[in-house]
C-alpha cells in the first residue's frame, strides 16, 4: 500500500509511522529524518537544508521532490511505502501524484494550540530516532537502542512557532486537496498514542 501521513508538526506522524510501517511491512520514509541525517553527515543536501531546518522553513520543493523520487525507486518500495512529512506543499503533492500516486492519505487531525507543548517536551533518540516526551517519562538513554536521548534543534519555542505558521500556510491546504481526490482518511490525533494507532489500523482495514 502507498500511504501518506499528513499532519502538523507534533501531530504524531513519526510516532505512528513507526507502528504503521511495521504492521504493513512497508518502509517508513521521513523527509525530516533524511534531512537530519544529511545534516549530521554534512553532505551537500545537508548543507542546503541546514538554514531551512534551523528557521523552521520548508526546504525548496525541487530539492525535496528529487530526494523522494530517488528514494521511491529503491527496491524496498516495490510493495508500497509510508511517507511521513511529504508532501508538504501543493507542488509536492502534484509531483508525488506523477511519481507514485498514493492509495490513501492519513491525516492526523490535531489542535494546533496543543502542539507547541508536545514539541517543546519532545525528546528523540540520536541513534534510532525513537520519540519520547518528558511528560510521559522520557529516559536519558533510549530503551530501543541505548542511544543518547536529546532535544531536536528545531523544538525550541521560536522555531516551533515558525513551523506551525508554515504548516498553516503551506501544508494545511493539502487536507482539502486530498479530500477532493477521495483519498483522505481523517484520524483524531488528540487521543492517546495507542488509541490513535488503533483508529489508523481500523481505517486501513476498511480500505
Ligand atoms: P519533520 O521532521 O517532518 O518535522 P515536523 O513536520 O515538524 O514534524 P515532527 O517530526 O516535529 O512531528 P511529528 O508529527 O512526527 O510528531 P512526533 O510523532 O514526533 O521536518 C523537519 C523539517 O525538515 C521541516 O521543518 C523542514 O525544514 C524540513 N522538511 C521535512 N520535510 C519537508 C518537505 N516535504 N518539504 C520541505 N521541507 C521539509 O510527536 C511529537 C511529540 O508528541 C513526541 O514527544 C511524542 O512522544 C508526542 N506524542 C505523539 N503522539 C501523541 C499523542 N497521541 N498524545 C500525546 N503525545 C503524543
Ligand atoms: Mg516527525
Ligand atoms: Zn534509539
Amino acid at each position: 500500500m502507498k500511504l501518506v501521513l499528513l499532519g502538523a508538526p507534533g501531530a504524531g506522524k513519526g510516532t505512528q509511522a513507526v507502528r504503521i510501517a511495521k504492521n504493513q511491512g512497508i518502509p517508513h520514509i521521513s523527509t525530516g529524518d533524511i534531512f537530519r541525517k544529511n545534516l549530521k553527515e554534512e553532505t551537500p543536501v545537508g548543507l542546503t537544508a541546514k538554514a531551512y531546518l534551523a528557521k523552521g522553513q520548508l526546504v525548496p520543493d525541487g530539492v525535496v521532490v528529487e530526494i523522494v523520487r530517488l528514494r521511491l525507486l529503491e527496491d524496498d518500495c516495490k510493495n508500497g511505502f509510508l511517507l511521513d512529512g511529504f508532501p508538504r506543499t501543493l507542488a509536492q503533492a502534484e509531483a508525488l501524484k506523477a511519481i507514485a500516486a498514493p492509495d490513501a492519505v492519513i491525516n492526523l487531525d490535531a489542535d494546533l494550540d496543543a502542539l507547541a507543548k508536545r514539541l517543546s517536551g519532545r525528546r528523540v533518540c540520536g541513534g534510532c530516532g525513537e520519540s519520547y516526551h518528558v511528560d510521559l517519562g522520557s529516559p536519558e538513554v533510549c530503551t530501543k537502542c541505548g542511544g543518547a536521548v536529546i532535544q531536536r534543534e528545531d523544538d525550541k519555542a521560536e522555531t516551533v512557532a515558525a513551523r506551525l505558521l508554515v504548516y498553516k500556510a503551506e501544508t494545511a491546504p493539502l487536507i482539502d486537496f486530498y479530500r477532493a481526490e477521495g483519498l483522505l482518511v481523517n484520524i483524531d490525533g488528540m487521543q492517546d498514542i495507542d488509541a490513535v494507532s488503533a483508529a489508523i489500523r481500523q481505517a486501513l482495514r476498511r480500505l
Side-chain angles (χ1 to χ4, degrees), residues 32-52:
D33 287 350
I34 292 173
F35 288 130
R36 282 183 290 277
K37 183 166 182 277
N38 277 278
L39 202 64
K40 208 168 156 185
E41 294 169 0
E42 298 182 334
T43 67
V45 165
L47 294 176
T48 304
K50 189 174 181 170
Y52 298 100

Side-chain angles (χ1 to χ4, degrees), residues 13-15 30 33 36 84 122 152:
K13 300 184 296 295
T15 304
S30 156
D33 287 350
R36 282 183 290 277
D84 157 9
R122 170 168 60 187
R152 237 169 74 176

Side-chain angles (χ1 to χ4, degrees), residues 123-127 130 132 138-143 146-151:
R123 299 295 180 269
V124 290
C125 170
E130 179 73 8
Y132 297 98
S138 173
E140 275 170 30
V141 171
C142 177
T143 55
V149 173
I150 52 168
Q151 182 169 32

